[in-house]
Amino acid sequence: MLGKIRSTVIDVTGVLIIGLAIYLISISGTIQGGITLPSSIYNMNTIFLSILIEALPFVLVGVLIAGGIQIFITEDHIKRWIPKNRFAAILMSCVVGACFPACECGIVPIVRRLIAKGVPIYAGIGFLLTGPLINPIVILSTYMAFGNDLKVALSRMIIGFIVAVIVAFLISLLFRTNQLKQELKNANHCEHGTAAVGQPVTMKIFHVLTHAVDEFFDMGKYLIIGALLAAFVQTYVSSESLVAIGNGQIASSTIVMMGLAFLLSLCSEADAFIAASFSNLFAPTAILAFLVYGPMIDLKNMMMMLSVFRAKFVFTFVSIVTIVVFVVFILLNQFY
Amino acid sequence: MRFYFQQAVRAFILILFTIYIVKLHYTGDILKLINPKYGTISMIGVVILLILFVTQLHRVFSKHDEHKHNHDHEDHHHDHGYSPLNGRKLVSYFIIVLPLITGFLLPPSTLDASIAAKKGAMLSITNNAMQEQNSGQPQEKEESADENMENEQPIHQNAPDPNLDSNTISMEKYDQIVNQLGEQDSILMSEQVYSTYYEMINKEMDSFVGKEISLKGFVYKEDDFKSNQLVLGRFLITHCVADSSIIGFLSSVEDATELTEDTWVEATGTIYIEEYNGTRMPAINISDYQVIDEPEQPYLYPITIKYK
């Protein structure tokens, strides 16, 4: 009886909430006409929303997978799967990342959940770095963007993989603990995290979904801040002036392209086309630096990482990736 | 049974996101944000949001039995929305609803010349023109090597489709478009063929000199342009407007000063070669033009070729 009342109440609430939402939306149209702002604000808003709308489905799939990991994968599984040997674990995580088609927004909640479940930090990082960089869609779009030249696409994957392994190794030297933010540390004490065994499947699915909701609200705000910053940069910072700094010297042009990759926060599936639009202005190494660095670190996903890891770790991590990518490409330049 | 206000707020936010995206699709405003090719993915997002909304509704009147375990909520790994509202959480909720507020209150705009300037329009155009010098060999036969790729593939250098639902064309159609270019005396740069032809003209600019061309674009100017120079530009959207790039032709027209930036123009002219900052690039000597309204579909999209 009580259950029946509850489900009726839920239905009614649902209808009320939808009704309220529709009401608000219908009055928003009238308010819309009354506001006038400088056109750059509208442009920035459009870019901001477009980044969000583009990223949202991928983030949603990411939080669903993260919810699934939380409920269905136990710490014992992780202990069994991850090799004891550090190098083996790093290599394995990079390979798994390479096989796992994800984009840089969707992968953050997944990595967070994996690390909370006991995956060592360095393995999580390896996965985080190769996941968005090495996957079929990225290979294909890079191949297409550079005039159907396989060389750029292959170099991107191979160098990216090497960089990921180096970074994960350095992380393993520097950090022993999981580096999750304080409130994340107790993830495993979450009662439905490990107590899922023996529950009916519907209950498990319900928990997967509720976890996904919580994750969405947790992660969402950082994604939104990141998108807002990236939109601001695109609206108010001129890439031409950035490019002017980089002309000529290999070191400075590599830095400029990496800076662009960071600030523009493009999805790894679309960034190749932007890189191609600079391809004749910069040395190939600088273009490749853009292609390798962008999927690993950018404004948007750095914000999301801040939602997962301690700030100190995020900044160390960003510095390590930046230095490694830069050094690797300066060395590689000898061969191009 | 208790009513949990915050859970209700979360449900409300979820349904607002759902409705917002559906509204974008319904009104067609989504085209101002993302390439229609990604529309399906966005609808999958809507379905997930709806599922999450329904799940969330069940927590509004939770018996809270999923949280009977007496562990301390304060050091819990993430916020389940049961702990009391505080200042920090208010800020979080504000950030989450920010895109909804701006999304519902501010109409989406079309990218304009000021964005083109920030994105470095002439850099991009110069870069395209330099392909000829660098590669030397025209490579427009590139698509023949692609048969072993997936069924669908984006070809960025290809024609965007004004026909929004069908920006996927067959290989034969694509070949036909490519072959037509050489035969035409007068080139019509329709939305569908624009970027394909643009690429081809840039690669073999000398062979197109003297040909008549008609196209649409918005007026864009840079400081170092001569008084009769302007660019007729278009934005090419790969994924979303954040990754748009500018393509277009440097053009010369007598009364260029009368055309202000962002004016949409439909123009006819002949192709010639202009040297801009030391780079040879195809340019248009405009003989006739007409100011038009912004086209319904201002952006260009890469075509997806479908292999049978």
Side-chain angles (χ1 to χ4, degrees), chain A residues 5-6 9-10 13-14 17-18 20-22 24-25 28 31-32 35 37 39 41-43 45-54 56-58 60-61 63-64 70 112-113 136 140 143-145 147-148 183-184 186-187 189-192 206-207 209-218 220-221 224-225 228 234-240 243 266-267 269-270 273-274 276-281, chain B residues 1 8 10-17 19-21 23-24 30 32-34 41-42 45 48-49 51-53 55-63 66-67 69 71 75-80 92-93 95-96 98-99 102-112 114-115 117-121 123-124 127 130-131 134 139 142 146 149 152-157 222 238-244:
Chain A
I5 296 175
R6 181 166 173 256
V9 172
I10 288 172
T13 325
I17 288 179
I18 294 173
L20 181 62
I22 291 175
L24 274 184
I25 289 158
S28 74
I31 305 174
Q32 208 174 68
I35 308 174
L37 292 169
S39 67
I41 299 282
Y42 289 104
N43 282 330
N45 182 45
T46 305
I47 295 175
F48 166 57
L49 291 172
S50 92
I51 296 176
L52 275 188
I53 296 293
E54 178 219 304
L56 205 55
F58 297 101
L60 285 167
V61 171
V63 298
L64 275 187
Q70 175 69 9
R112 163 197 207 166
R113 200 46 59 213
L140 194 64
Y143 170 76
M144 312 261 43
N148 294 7
E183 60 262 39
L184 279 148
N186 298 307
H189 303 300
C190 187
E191 76 286 0
H192 43 263
F206 180 73
H207 285 320
L209 293 174
T210 52
H211 261 282
V213 172
D214 296 335
E215 201 97 39
F216 174 73
F217 277 88
D218 254 10
K221 55 178 182 278
I224 289 166
I225 296 174
L228 194 60
Q234 290 212 7
T235 319
Y236 295 106
V237 179
S238 149
S239 22
E240 207 149 330
V243 167
L266 302 168
C267 194
E269 286 146 33
F273 299 103
I274 299 299
S277 74
F278 290 104
S279 58
N280 294 312
L281 299 162
Chain B
M1 193 167 82
R10 288 179 169 210
F12 184 58
I13 292 174
L14 285 173
I15 197 68
L16 275 179
F17 268 107
I19 295 177
Y20 177 58
I21 300 175
K23 181 189 165 231
L24 285 177
I30 191 94
K32 291 184 175 164
L33 301 177
I34 60 170
I41 295 174
S42 144
I48 298 178
L49 276 172
I51 295 172
L52 294 185
F53 168 68
T55 310
Q56 184 62 20
L57 274 184
H58 285 269
R59 298 166 94 191
V60 177
F61 290 98
S62 176
K63 282 163 275 173
E66 51 169 315
H67 283 266
H69 303 257
H71 64 264
D75 60 25
H76 199 269
H77 68 299
H78 55 198
D79 179 26
H80 284 299
S92 312
Y93 282 117
I95 294 171
I96 298 270
L98 181 70
T102 65
F104 281 120
L105 290 187
L106 308 178
S109 63
T110 308
L111 297 186
D112 58 17
S114 67
I115 295 289
K118 291 287 182 273
K119 284 188 177 274
L123 275 183
S124 168
N127 182 70
M130 280 162 76
Q131 273 172 4
N134 289 358
Q139 313 171 319
E142 61 210 1
D146 296 342
M149 310 297 293
E152 281 193 348
Q153 50 175 270
I155 297 213
H156 84 290
Q157 65 269 56
E222 282 195 8
T238 312
H239 199 152
C240 71
V241 298
D243 60 51
S244 60

Side-chain angles (χ1 to χ4, degrees), chain A residues 36-108:
Chain A
T36 32
L37 292 169
S39 67
S40 63
I41 299 282
Y42 289 104
N43 282 330
M44 178 171 145
N45 182 45
T46 305
I47 295 175
F48 166 57
L49 291 172
S50 92
I51 296 176
L52 275 188
I53 296 293
E54 178 219 304
L56 205 55
F58 297 101
V59 173
L60 285 167
V61 171
V63 298
L64 275 187
I65 295 176
I69 291 173
Q70 175 69 9
I71 303 302
F72 290 105
I73 295 181
T74 66
E75 287 156 64
D76 290 339
H77 289 146
I78 302 274
K79 280 209 188 85
R80 246 179 295 148
W81 291 337
I82 303 269
K84 291 277 170 297
N85 182 300
R86 204 158 28 133
F87 303 101
I90 289 173
L91 270 182
M92 181 187 139
S93 70
C94 289
V95 171
V96 171
C99 302
F100 188 81
C103 71
E104 62 256 49
C105 322
I107 202 160
V108 178

Side-chain angles (χ1 to χ4, degrees), chain B residues 269-307:
Chain B
T270 43
I271 298 177
Y272 71 103
I273 294 201
E274 169 85 47
E275 195 148 307
Y276 176 79
N277 287 350
T279 309
R280 290 171 80 244
M281 59 175 70
I284 301 174
N285 199 350
I286 295 178
S287 52
D288 185 31
Y289 74 86
Q290 190 175 357
V291 174
I292 55 169
D293 287 336
E294 181 183 302
E296 240 169 73
Q297 183 46 61
Y299 300 133
L300 306 174
Y301 305 109
I303 259 185
T304 304
I305 293 187
K306 199 170 191 165
Y307 293 99

